[in-house]
Amino acid sequence: MSSKFRFIEKKFESISGKENKEFLIKWGMKGKLRTFMFTFDKQFHIGSKDKFILEFFQDEHVISKLEKMAPNGAWINMENRPAKVKVEDVDCSLLSVEIFDRLYEKNIVRENGSIKKCLDDYYEDILISDELRKLLLLEESDNYEIYSDKERNQFLFRLFKHFCLGGQVCQFEDNLQPYIDVTRSTYKELISVQKDSETKKLRIVSYVFKVEIFVKHFFYLFFYFFSKFRMIKMSRSTRTKL
């Protein structure tokens, strides 16, 4: 039986190219992110997303291409079909990075872009030494509520948080701008935007889902799944979940 999913060889410059290489190395994320693109030959219906996504990850052609990160940090083939998937909707409606202007307005970041420091604290194994990471991680922080739960669920915000926290061996930035630049370029490359024929305004036509994959022994992976753009991206961080 032929697969309805077809793998497309594509390099995503924001993740695999030279564009953000220097910062991804500095943040301990180089080689810790993987992108895969597939096309499919049937119409996607949002109401049956769970069924569609399970079929995708159970497809032999897909399994032969996707990789997971082993405990030693190496990427290996998935090998086994998942028994089930847990799908979570991720909001994706922001067309700019203006949401992060609030960091300046609330004095978390100074006018020159420098991130304000704070007394050292820890969230699990992550050192918090500035107001930005405190806002991202500590619900009891004074500034946590400047972003609502809905805003924090935006894919743009999740990407930003992921880059700010970095990998296990991460050199944090003192200035906000590199985080904004890398987030912007990655977001633009991953989502698909079209002009509305009636309003003439741009709108995002990608659906984004966080997918938890259950395979043998309940080992699980985290993926971000994009429809309309017809791409699968797998992201695995050893520091914190997106």
Side-chain angles (χ1 to χ4, degrees):
M1 183 178 178
S2 62
S3 171
K4 68 178 180 181
F5 301 101
R6 186 165 65 93
F7 177 69
I8 304 295
E9 197 76 50
K10 176 177 171 58
K11 182 178 180 179
F12 290 81
E13 285 297 323
S14 61
I15 294 173
S16 306
K18 297 180 180 179
E19 182 179 2
N20 298 321
K21 181 179 178 180
E22 177 185 348
F23 290 116
L24 293 179
I25 292 174
K26 185 178 180 181
W27 302 338
M29 302 180 77
K30 183 65 178 174
K32 301 296 176 63
L33 302 173
R34 281 287 192 274
T35 51
F36 306 88
M37 175 178 278
F38 294 83
T39 61
F40 50 93
D41 59 13
K42 292 187 179 181
Q43 189 172 0
F44 175 77
H45 297 284
I46 188 66
S48 57
K49 65 179 185 296
D50 292 56
K51 180 176 182 293
F52 180 89
I53 293 173
L54 179 60
E55 288 178 353
F56 175 86
F57 286 108
Q58 289 184 335
D59 186 277
E60 289 185 3
H61 184 63
V62 172
I63 291 174
S64 70
K65 297 295 183 181
L66 292 184
E67 297 174 313
K68 64 184 179 183
M69 184 175 283
N72 64 0
W75 289 95
I76 59 176
N77 291 336
M78 279 189 63
E79 298 177 351
N80 299 311
R81 294 184 180 185
K84 64 177 181 178
V85 296
K86 180 180 178 182
V87 181
E88 175 188 331
D89 291 331
V90 176
D91 294 331
C92 187
S93 60
L94 300 179
L95 290 167
S96 76
V97 295
E98 289 181 1
I99 189 173
F100 302 120
D101 290 350
R102 217 171 300 169
L103 298 173
Y104 292 89
E105 297 164 2
K106 298 299 181 179
N107 204 28
I108 293 159
V109 176
R110 296 184 177 88
E111 188 175 346
N112 64 359
S114 64
I115 302 167
K116 291 187 66 175
K117 301 299 181 181
C118 68
L119 295 176
D120 286 354
D121 199 349
Y122 280 89
Y123 176 83
E124 297 179 354
D125 64 334
I126 303 175
L127 173 64
I128 299 174
S129 57
D130 59 56
E131 293 294 338
L132 177 59
R133 263 156 284 280
K134 184 189 288 188
L135 174 147
L136 293 173
L137 292 171
L138 300 182
E139 292 186 26
E140 65 272 22
S141 74
D142 294 337
N143 293 310
Y144 188 86
E145 293 186 355
I146 71 171
Y147 291 106
S148 66
D149 290 342
K150 185 172 179 59
E151 288 173 320
R152 288 171 179 269
N153 189 50
Q154 283 282 344
F155 182 53
L156 178 67
F157 193 96
R158 288 180 181 236
L159 274 180
F160 175 74
K161 178 180 177 181
H162 200 38
F163 289 129
C164 288
L165 300 182
Q168 279 187 314
V169 182
C170 176
Q171 299 179 54
F172 296 130
E173 298 294 330
D174 293 321
N175 193 282
L176 180 69
Q177 198 58 47
Y179 295 129
I180 297 293
D181 292 342
V182 175
T183 299
R184 181 194 288 114
S185 64
T186 305
Y187 186 71
K188 286 176 67 176
E189 190 171 22
L190 294 180
I191 65 168
S192 185
V193 176
Q194 290 180 358
K195 182 177 288 187
D196 189 285
S197 59
E198 295 183 359
T199 65
K200 306 302 179 184
K201 293 182 179 180
L202 293 177
R203 64 185 181 92
I204 295 173
V205 294
S206 300
Y207 294 111
V208 184
F209 309 105
K210 177 181 174 181
V211 184
E212 192 171 352
I213 313 296
F214 294 87
V215 293
K216 284 186 176 181
H217 309 300
F218 296 100
F219 180 84
Y220 58 86
L221 305 168
F222 291 97
F223 290 79
Y224 278 96
F225 181 99
F226 304 79
S227 181
K228 295 283 186 157
F229 190 53
R230 298 177 179 177
M231 185 275 292
I232 290 294
K233 172 200 171 237
M234 182 171 77
S235 174
R236 174 73 181 266
S237 169
T238 54
R239 292 184 65 82
T240 187
K241 298 175 185 176
L242 282 173

